[in-house]
Structure formats: C-alpha cells, structure tokens
Short mmCIF file of all heavy atoms in Angstrom, two decimals:
data_model
loop_
_atom_site.label_atom_id
_atom_site.label_comp_id
_atom_site.label_asym_id
_atom_site.label_seq_id
_atom_site.Cartn_x
_atom_site.Cartn_y
_atom_site.Cartn_z
N LEU K 1 0.53 -7.31 -2.52
CA LEU K 1 -0.06 -7.38 -1.18
C LEU K 1 0.44 -6.23 -0.31
O LEU K 1 -0.33 -5.64 0.44
CB LEU K 1 0.23 -8.73 -0.54
CG LEU K 1 -0.21 -9.96 -1.34
CD1 LEU K 1 0.03 -11.23 -0.54
CD2 LEU K 1 -1.64 -9.85 -1.79
N VAL K 2 1.71 -5.91 -0.43
CA VAL K 2 2.26 -4.79 0.33
C VAL K 2 1.58 -3.49 -0.11
O VAL K 2 1.22 -2.65 0.72
CB VAL K 2 3.80 -4.71 0.18
CG1 VAL K 2 4.34 -3.42 0.75
CG2 VAL K 2 4.44 -5.92 0.85
N ALA K 3 1.37 -3.33 -1.41
CA ALA K 3 0.72 -2.12 -1.93
C ALA K 3 -0.73 -2.01 -1.45
O ALA K 3 -1.28 -0.91 -1.38
CB ALA K 3 0.78 -2.09 -3.45
N ALA K 4 -1.33 -3.14 -1.11
CA ALA K 4 -2.73 -3.16 -0.67
C ALA K 4 -2.86 -3.30 0.84
O ALA K 4 -3.98 -3.42 1.35
CB ALA K 4 -3.48 -4.30 -1.36
N GLU K 5 -1.77 -3.26 1.58
CA GLU K 5 -1.83 -3.55 3.01
C GLU K 5 -2.67 -2.56 3.81
O GLU K 5 -3.13 -2.88 4.90
CB GLU K 5 -0.43 -3.70 3.61
CG GLU K 5 0.34 -2.43 3.74
CD GLU K 5 1.75 -2.66 4.27
OE1 GLU K 5 2.18 -3.82 4.45
OE2 GLU K 5 2.44 -1.65 4.50
N HIS K 6 -2.93 -1.38 3.26
CA HIS K 6 -3.83 -0.44 3.95
C HIS K 6 -5.26 -0.99 4.05
O HIS K 6 -6.05 -0.51 4.85
CB HIS K 6 -3.84 0.92 3.25
CG HIS K 6 -4.39 0.89 1.86
ND1 HIS K 6 -3.67 0.44 0.77
CD2 HIS K 6 -5.61 1.23 1.39
CE1 HIS K 6 -4.43 0.51 -0.31
NE2 HIS K 6 -5.62 0.99 0.04
N LEU K 7 -5.56 -2.02 3.28
CA LEU K 7 -6.87 -2.65 3.30
C LEU K 7 -6.96 -3.75 4.36
O LEU K 7 -8.05 -4.18 4.71
CB LEU K 7 -7.18 -3.26 1.94
CG LEU K 7 -7.19 -2.30 0.76
CD1 LEU K 7 -7.23 -3.07 -0.55
CD2 LEU K 7 -8.36 -1.33 0.86
N PHE K 8 -5.81 -4.21 4.85
CA PHE K 8 -5.75 -5.33 5.79
C PHE K 8 -5.81 -4.81 7.23
O PHE K 8 -5.73 -3.62 7.48
CB PHE K 8 -4.47 -6.14 5.60
CG PHE K 8 -4.21 -6.59 4.18
CD1 PHE K 8 -2.91 -6.78 3.74
CD2 PHE K 8 -5.23 -6.83 3.29
CE1 PHE K 8 -2.65 -7.21 2.45
CE2 PHE K 8 -4.98 -7.25 2.00
CZ PHE K 8 -3.68 -7.44 1.58
N ASP K 9 -5.89 -5.74 8.16
CA ASP K 9 -5.89 -5.39 9.58
C ASP K 9 -4.51 -4.93 10.06
O ASP K 9 -4.40 -4.26 11.08
CB ASP K 9 -6.35 -6.58 10.43
CG ASP K 9 -7.79 -6.96 10.14
OD1 ASP K 9 -8.59 -6.07 9.81
OD2 ASP K 9 -8.10 -8.16 10.23
N GLY K 10 -3.46 -5.32 9.35
CA GLY K 10 -2.10 -4.95 9.73
C GLY K 10 -1.21 -5.02 8.51
O GLY K 10 -1.66 -5.31 7.40
N PRO K 11 0.09 -4.77 8.69
CA PRO K 11 1.01 -4.79 7.56
C PRO K 11 1.17 -6.18 6.96
O PRO K 11 1.10 -7.18 7.66
CB PRO K 11 2.34 -4.31 8.15
CG PRO K 11 2.14 -4.10 9.59
CD PRO K 11 0.72 -4.41 9.94
N ALA K 12 1.38 -6.21 5.66
CA ALA K 12 1.63 -7.48 4.96
C ALA K 12 3.09 -7.85 5.12
O ALA K 12 3.97 -7.09 4.73
CB ALA K 12 1.27 -7.34 3.48
N ARG K 13 3.34 -9.01 5.71
CA ARG K 13 4.71 -9.49 5.84
C ARG K 13 5.10 -10.26 4.59
O ARG K 13 4.32 -11.06 4.07
CB ARG K 13 4.83 -10.40 7.06
CG ARG K 13 4.80 -9.64 8.36
CD ARG K 13 5.04 -10.48 9.56
NE ARG K 13 5.90 -11.64 9.36
CZ ARG K 13 6.20 -12.50 10.33
NH1 ARG K 13 5.70 -12.34 11.54
NH2 ARG K 13 6.98 -13.54 10.08
N ARG K 14 6.29 -10.02 4.10
CA ARG K 14 6.74 -10.65 2.87
C ARG K 14 6.75 -12.17 2.99
O ARG K 14 6.30 -12.87 2.08
CB ARG K 14 8.12 -10.14 2.48
CG ARG K 14 8.62 -10.75 1.18
CD ARG K 14 9.87 -10.07 0.64
NE ARG K 14 10.44 -10.78 -0.47
CZ ARG K 14 9.94 -10.85 -1.69
NH1 ARG K 14 8.82 -10.23 -1.97
NH2 ARG K 14 10.54 -11.53 -2.64
N ASP K 15 7.24 -12.73 4.11
CA ASP K 15 7.30 -14.18 4.25
C ASP K 15 5.90 -14.79 4.25
O ASP K 15 5.66 -15.81 3.61
CB ASP K 15 8.11 -14.59 5.47
CG ASP K 15 7.61 -14.01 6.79
OD1 ASP K 15 6.98 -12.93 6.78
OD2 ASP K 15 7.86 -14.63 7.84
N TRP K 16 4.96 -14.16 4.93
CA TRP K 16 3.59 -14.68 4.94
C TRP K 16 2.94 -14.50 3.57
O TRP K 16 2.16 -15.33 3.13
CB TRP K 16 2.76 -14.00 6.01
CG TRP K 16 3.15 -14.36 7.41
CD1 TRP K 16 3.99 -15.37 7.83
CD2 TRP K 16 2.73 -13.69 8.60
NE1 TRP K 16 4.10 -15.37 9.19
CE2 TRP K 16 3.34 -14.35 9.70
CE3 TRP K 16 1.90 -12.61 8.85
CZ2 TRP K 16 3.13 -13.96 11.01
CZ3 TRP K 16 1.70 -12.22 10.16
CH2 TRP K 16 2.31 -12.89 11.22
N SER K 17 3.24 -13.38 2.91
CA SER K 17 2.69 -13.13 1.58
C SER K 17 3.15 -14.19 0.59
O SER K 17 2.35 -14.72 -0.18
CB SER K 17 3.09 -11.74 1.09
OG SER K 17 2.55 -10.74 1.92
N LEU K 18 4.45 -14.50 0.62
CA LEU K 18 4.98 -15.55 -0.26
C LEU K 18 4.31 -16.89 0.01
O LEU K 18 3.93 -17.61 -0.91
CB LEU K 18 6.49 -15.68 -0.08
CG LEU K 18 7.35 -14.59 -0.72
CD1 LEU K 18 8.77 -14.64 -0.20
CD2 LEU K 18 7.32 -14.72 -2.23
N ARG K 19 4.17 -17.22 1.28
CA ARG K 19 3.55 -18.50 1.65
C ARG K 19 2.09 -18.55 1.21
O ARG K 19 1.62 -19.56 0.68
CB ARG K 19 3.67 -18.67 3.17
CG ARG K 19 3.27 -20.01 3.66
CD ARG K 19 3.61 -20.15 5.11
NE ARG K 19 2.94 -21.32 5.66
CZ ARG K 19 2.83 -21.57 6.93
NH1 ARG K 19 3.34 -20.76 7.83
NH2 ARG K 19 2.20 -22.64 7.35
N PHE K 20 1.34 -17.45 1.43
CA PHE K 20 -0.06 -17.40 1.02
C PHE K 20 -0.18 -17.60 -0.49
O PHE K 20 -0.97 -18.41 -0.97
CB PHE K 20 -0.69 -16.06 1.43
CG PHE K 20 -2.12 -15.93 0.99
CD1 PHE K 20 -3.15 -16.36 1.81
CD2 PHE K 20 -2.44 -15.39 -0.25
CE1 PHE K 20 -4.48 -16.26 1.40
CE2 PHE K 20 -3.76 -15.29 -0.67
CZ PHE K 20 -4.78 -15.72 0.17
N LEU K 21 0.60 -16.84 -1.25
CA LEU K 21 0.49 -16.89 -2.70
C LEU K 21 0.93 -18.24 -3.27
O LEU K 21 0.44 -18.65 -4.32
CB LEU K 21 1.32 -15.76 -3.32
CG LEU K 21 0.78 -14.35 -3.04
CD1 LEU K 21 1.80 -13.31 -3.48
CD2 LEU K 21 -0.57 -14.12 -3.68
N ALA K 22 1.84 -18.93 -2.58
CA ALA K 22 2.32 -20.23 -3.06
C ALA K 22 1.41 -21.38 -2.68
O ALA K 22 1.49 -22.45 -3.28
CB ALA K 22 3.72 -20.49 -2.50
N ALA K 23 0.53 -21.18 -1.71
CA ALA K 23 -0.32 -22.27 -1.23
C ALA K 23 -1.40 -22.60 -2.27
O ALA K 23 -2.15 -21.73 -2.70
CB ALA K 23 -0.97 -21.88 0.09
N PRO K 24 -1.49 -23.87 -2.66
CA PRO K 24 -2.54 -24.26 -3.60
C PRO K 24 -3.93 -23.95 -3.02
O PRO K 24 -4.18 -24.20 -1.84
CB PRO K 24 -2.35 -25.77 -3.76
CG PRO K 24 -0.95 -26.03 -3.32
CD PRO K 24 -0.64 -24.99 -2.28
N GLY K 25 -4.78 -23.38 -3.83
CA GLY K 25 -6.15 -23.10 -3.40
C GLY K 25 -6.33 -21.81 -2.64
O GLY K 25 -7.44 -21.49 -2.25
N HIS K 26 -5.26 -21.06 -2.40
CA HIS K 26 -5.38 -19.77 -1.73
C HIS K 26 -5.46 -18.68 -2.80
O HIS K 26 -4.61 -18.62 -3.69
CB HIS K 26 -4.18 -19.50 -0.83
CG HIS K 26 -4.24 -20.23 0.45
ND1 HIS K 26 -4.28 -21.60 0.54
CD2 HIS K 26 -4.25 -19.78 1.72
CE1 HIS K 26 -4.31 -21.97 1.81
NE2 HIS K 26 -4.30 -20.88 2.55
N LEU K 27 -6.46 -17.83 -2.70
CA LEU K 27 -6.67 -16.78 -3.70
C LEU K 27 -6.83 -15.43 -3.02
O LEU K 27 -7.51 -15.32 -1.99
CB LEU K 27 -7.97 -17.02 -4.47
CG LEU K 27 -8.14 -18.36 -5.17
CD1 LEU K 27 -9.59 -18.57 -5.52
CD2 LEU K 27 -7.28 -18.38 -6.41
N MET K 28 -6.24 -14.40 -3.60
CA MET K 28 -6.55 -13.04 -3.21
C MET K 28 -6.82 -12.26 -4.48
O MET K 28 -6.00 -12.25 -5.40
CB MET K 28 -5.43 -12.37 -2.44
CG MET K 28 -5.83 -10.92 -2.09
SD MET K 28 -4.73 -10.05 -0.99
CE MET K 28 -4.90 -11.01 0.48
N LEU K 29 -8.00 -11.67 -4.51
CA LEU K 29 -8.37 -10.80 -5.61
C LEU K 29 -8.35 -9.37 -5.08
O LEU K 29 -8.87 -9.11 -4.00
CB LEU K 29 -9.77 -11.14 -6.12
CG LEU K 29 -9.99 -12.60 -6.55
CD1 LEU K 29 -11.47 -12.84 -6.87
CD2 LEU K 29 -9.13 -12.95 -7.74
N ILE K 30 -7.75 -8.48 -5.85
CA ILE K 30 -7.67 -7.07 -5.44
C ILE K 30 -8.43 -6.24 -6.45
O ILE K 30 -8.27 -6.40 -7.67
CB ILE K 30 -6.21 -6.60 -5.33
CG1 ILE K 30 -5.46 -7.45 -4.30
CG2 ILE K 30 -6.15 -5.11 -4.95
CD1 ILE K 30 -3.98 -7.14 -4.18
N ALA K 31 -9.29 -5.34 -5.93
CA ALA K 31 -10.03 -4.40 -6.76
C ALA K 31 -9.24 -3.10 -6.84
O ALA K 31 -8.81 -2.57 -5.82
CB ALA K 31 -11.41 -4.14 -6.16
N TYR K 32 -9.05 -2.63 -8.05
CA TYR K 32 -8.32 -1.39 -8.28
C TYR K 32 -9.25 -0.35 -8.88
O TYR K 32 -10.04 -0.66 -9.77
CB TYR K 32 -7.15 -1.62 -9.24
CG TYR K 32 -6.09 -2.54 -8.71
CD1 TYR K 32 -6.17 -3.91 -8.89
CD2 TYR K 32 -4.99 -2.03 -8.01
CE1 TYR K 32 -5.19 -4.76 -8.40
CE2 TYR K 32 -4.01 -2.87 -7.52
CZ TYR K 32 -4.12 -4.24 -7.71
OH TYR K 32 -3.15 -5.08 -7.22
N ILE K 33 -9.15 0.86 -8.38
CA ILE K 33 -9.83 2.01 -8.98
C ILE K 33 -8.73 2.94 -9.47
O ILE K 33 -7.91 3.40 -8.67
CB ILE K 33 -10.73 2.76 -7.97
CG1 ILE K 33 -11.83 1.86 -7.42
CG2 ILE K 33 -11.30 4.03 -8.59
CD1 ILE K 33 -12.97 1.60 -8.38
N GLU K 34 -8.70 3.15 -10.77
CA GLU K 34 -7.67 3.98 -11.39
C GLU K 34 -6.27 3.57 -10.93
O GLU K 34 -5.42 4.40 -10.61
CB GLU K 34 -7.93 5.46 -11.12
CG GLU K 34 -9.22 5.92 -11.75
CD GLU K 34 -9.51 7.40 -11.52
OE1 GLU K 34 -8.77 8.07 -10.78
OE2 GLU K 34 -10.48 7.87 -12.10
N GLY K 35 -6.04 2.26 -10.86
CA GLY K 35 -4.74 1.70 -10.53
C GLY K 35 -4.41 1.62 -9.05
O GLY K 35 -3.35 1.12 -8.68
N LEU K 36 -5.30 2.10 -8.18
CA LEU K 36 -5.05 2.07 -6.74
C LEU K 36 -5.86 0.97 -6.07
O LEU K 36 -7.05 0.82 -6.37
CB LEU K 36 -5.41 3.43 -6.11
CG LEU K 36 -4.63 4.63 -6.63
CD1 LEU K 36 -5.18 5.92 -6.04
CD2 LEU K 36 -3.15 4.48 -6.33
N PRO K 37 -5.26 0.19 -5.15
CA PRO K 37 -6.01 -0.85 -4.44
C PRO K 37 -7.14 -0.24 -3.62
O PRO K 37 -6.91 0.60 -2.76
CB PRO K 37 -4.97 -1.51 -3.54
CG PRO K 37 -3.64 -1.11 -4.10
CD PRO K 37 -3.85 0.23 -4.73
N ALA K 38 -8.36 -0.68 -3.90
CA ALA K 38 -9.54 -0.14 -3.22
C ALA K 38 -10.25 -1.20 -2.38
O ALA K 38 -11.02 -0.86 -1.48
CB ALA K 38 -10.52 0.42 -4.24
N GLY K 39 -10.02 -2.47 -2.65
CA GLY K 39 -10.67 -3.55 -1.91
C GLY K 39 -10.01 -4.87 -2.23
O GLY K 39 -9.21 -4.98 -3.16
N PHE K 40 -10.36 -5.87 -1.43
CA PHE K 40 -9.80 -7.21 -1.64
C PHE K 40 -10.77 -8.26 -1.12
O PHE K 40 -11.66 -7.98 -0.33
CB PHE K 40 -8.45 -7.37 -0.94
CG PHE K 40 -8.57 -7.62 0.54
CD1 PHE K 40 -8.48 -8.90 1.05
CD2 PHE K 40 -8.83 -6.58 1.41
CE1 PHE K 40 -8.63 -9.14 2.42
CE2 PHE K 40 -8.96 -6.79 2.77
CZ PHE K 40 -8.87 -8.08 3.28
N ILE K 41 -10.55 -9.47 -1.60
CA ILE K 41 -11.27 -10.63 -1.10
C ILE K 41 -10.31 -11.81 -1.13
O ILE K 41 -9.48 -11.92 -2.04
CB ILE K 41 -12.54 -10.92 -1.93
CG1 ILE K 41 -13.45 -11.93 -1.24
CG2 ILE K 41 -12.19 -11.36 -3.34
CD1 ILE K 41 -14.85 -12.02 -1.86
N THR K 42 -10.37 -12.64 -0.09
CA THR K 42 -9.57 -13.86 -0.09
C THR K 42 -10.49 -15.06 -0.05
O THR K 42 -11.54 -15.04 0.59
CB THR K 42 -8.60 -13.91 1.12
OG1 THR K 42 -9.31 -13.72 2.32
CG2 THR K 42 -7.50 -12.89 0.99
N GLY K 43 -10.07 -16.08 -0.76
CA GLY K 43 -10.79 -17.34 -0.77
C GLY K 43 -9.83 -18.48 -0.56
O GLY K 43 -8.67 -18.40 -0.96
N ILE K 44 -10.31 -19.53 0.09
CA ILE K 44 -9.50 -20.72 0.33
C ILE K 44 -10.33 -21.94 -0.06
O ILE K 44 -11.43 -22.14 0.45
CB ILE K 44 -9.07 -20.82 1.80
CG1 ILE K 44 -8.28 -19.58 2.20
CG2 ILE K 44 -8.28 -22.11 2.04
CD1 ILE K 44 -8.01 -19.48 3.68
#
C-alpha cells in the first residue's frame, strides 16, 4: 500500500493499512505494469 500511495488521495498510514488489510471483507487489488503500481480498486 505504501508503494502504491501515489495512486491514493494521500499517504498510506501503516496503522490504517494494517487495519484495512486485517478487516474481513476488505479487499484492495493493485494493477502493476512491469512491476510498478499503476492502479487500484477497493471493495468492501
């Protein structure tokens, strides 16, 4: 998430990132082009 934070509205905070990833039913998919984060989608 930190590596993809340029795609977000602001910086990815580690505490919020941990909480998001640990929450059941929370998903973030990241699209990579040649290994670089190019896009994302979140679902709940």
Side-chain angles (χ1 to χ4, degrees):
L1 305 185
V2 170
E5 72 183 6
H6 65 281
L7 301 169
F8 308 151
D9 295 328
R13 286 185 31 181
R14 181 169 171 72
D15 56 334
W16 291 348
S17 297
L18 284 166
R19 189 172 166 193
F20 178 90
L21 293 170
H26 282 61
L27 304 164
M28 179 172 295
L29 305 173
I30 301 176
Y32 296 89
I33 299 285
E34 296 181 353
L36 300 174
F40 78 99
I41 192 167
T42 53
I44 302 171

